[in-house]
Amino acid sequence: MLRSKYNQAIARTKFDPTSTPKHCNSEGHSVIMLCHMAVVAITSSGAKNARRYTEVMESAGADVRVLMPDCHTSVATHELMHDVGGLLLSGGPDIDPSLYGEDPDPNAGLRLNRSLDNLELRVLEYALIRDMPVLAICRGMQLLNVAFGGKLIQDLPGHKPEKIDGKWKSTYHTIYIAPGAKAAPVIGMAGLFKVNSLHHQGLKEAQRAPRLMSTAYEVEEGLIEGLESPEHSWVIGFQCHPERQDEVPTLFGNLFLGLKERAETFIAEFAT
């Protein structure tokens, strides 16, 4: 069932920007009030990478639009984001260091996708200007930091998956989420959590964009594991991968429910 919905979401990458909201009630009859279905745009390097994010958002009750550089590089931003109420920046390849004023480290093993960088930067700008809710995951959190003027550590040993018996396995570490984080009430609590780690880039306070607030840290090395924008209502980033639901505490699924609910509110406000 989830795979079927995922295939439908990928098929909807060719969407109709002129579509209008449907009038409906609980019985499906035409009524005066609008039915505000939450459309969440998910950026991704490709269809395979988008699968987990699509499934978890649709399980939360959102309609999904997947944005990929191969399909949408030449599409105008306002068309890509038509009727969208929330943005999810997914994990994926490394961000081009030239975007934060550095040359690529030849020893960092970087996998770059500048077309994805450009696509995400413009839809993120669109969302931030309108105070649209944003959830940024792994690469997404790193892109959020770069978009606000921050930098990245190009290679971090010991934080990416390990190959065990021929299979790639996630590594894990403990993070601390501050009580003052907007993410804390969304998740359900603050404190210490054991989460997955699948990244080889990241940031510490020296790389953090000054306009962003650190809300979670890796307890051993002090890596920033959570970022939020005090300038916006709901812009939340995490370095871990909560879409891999069997590798993080169950409470982290509330992040996707929270994005869906915020997207509904955003759509409703613009529709009235």
Side-chain angles (χ1 to χ4, degrees):
M1 181 65 176
L2 286 177
R3 181 59 62 87
S4 176
K5 288 185 176 181
Y6 159 70
N7 290 334
Q8 292 170 16
I10 295 300
R12 287 196 299 270
T13 57
K14 294 183 178 180
F15 54 89
D16 179 7
T18 64
S19 61
T20 55
K22 297 179 180 179
H23 290 70
C24 62
N25 63 9
S26 60
E27 297 178 353
H29 301 306
S30 178
V31 293
I32 295 176
M33 293 186 66
L34 287 175
C35 170
H36 304 297
M37 182 65 175
V39 179
V40 173
I42 299 175
T43 60
S44 178
S45 58
K48 183 178 179 180
N49 181 70
R51 179 177 61 84
R52 288 182 187 265
Y53 303 97
T54 299
E55 291 177 351
V56 75
M57 282 310 310
E58 291 190 329
S59 293
D63 194 10
V64 167
R65 181 180 299 162
V66 181
L67 306 180
M68 300 178 290
D70 287 349
C71 302
H72 300 116
T73 295
S74 60
V75 181
T77 307
H78 72 275
E79 292 184 8
L80 293 177
M81 300 298 282
H82 178 76
D83 280 345
V84 167
L87 175 63
L88 193 160
L89 301 174
S90 72
D94 304 312
I95 296 166
D96 190 337
S98 67
L99 290 171
Y100 48 92
E102 294 184 5
D103 295 324
D105 180 349
N107 299 314
L110 300 181
R111 296 183 302 110
L112 306 180
N113 187 331
R114 186 57 185 261
S115 295
L116 178 61
D117 297 340
N118 294 339
L119 174 65
E120 290 188 325
L121 286 169
R122 63 187 176 101
V123 296
L124 176 60
E125 180 183 29
Y126 181 98
L128 294 174
I129 289 172
R130 291 158 178 79
D131 200 23
M132 182 183 293
V134 177
L135 178 60
I137 294 175
C138 194
R139 167 200 158 89
M141 189 193 85
Q142 296 168 9
L143 184 108
L144 182 69
N145 188 59
V146 171
F148 274 81
K151 297 179 178 290
L152 298 176
I153 301 170
Q154 293 191 35
D155 190 44
L156 290 166
H159 291 272
K160 59 185 178 181
E162 300 174 341
K163 201 168 189 178
I164 302 174
D165 297 328
K167 296 182 179 180
W168 289 102
K169 302 288 185 181
S170 298
T171 56
Y172 295 86
H173 53 211
T174 300
I175 67 171
Y176 175 74
I177 300 177
K182 291 179 182 178
V186 175
I187 292 171
M189 61 183 294
L192 297 170
F193 299 91
K194 183 180 179 181
V195 299
N196 55 17
S197 177
L198 293 93
H199 61 102
H200 84 107
Q201 295 195 311
L203 62 145
K204 295 185 176 182
E205 284 299 320
Q207 290 79 35
R208 177 178 58 83
R211 291 165 55 201
L212 295 177
M213 180 173 65
S214 303
T215 56
Y217 293 91
E218 193 268 331
V219 297
E220 293 185 2
E221 298 181 30
L223 292 172
I224 294 175
E225 290 280 333
L227 285 174
E228 295 176 5
S229 170
E231 302 171 10
H232 298 87
S233 300
W234 207 95
V235 174
I236 294 173
F238 273 104
Q239 184 61 69
C240 69
H241 281 263
E243 82 285 357
R244 303 174 73 96
Q245 294 181 293
D246 58 335
E247 298 179 359
V248 296
T250 304
L251 287 173
F252 277 61
N254 291 335
L255 290 167
F256 303 105
L257 290 170
L259 177 60
K260 175 253 184 182
E261 292 170 358
R262 284 284 182 156
E264 286 179 335
T265 299
F266 181 88
I267 291 293
E269 288 177 350
F270 271 80
T272 56

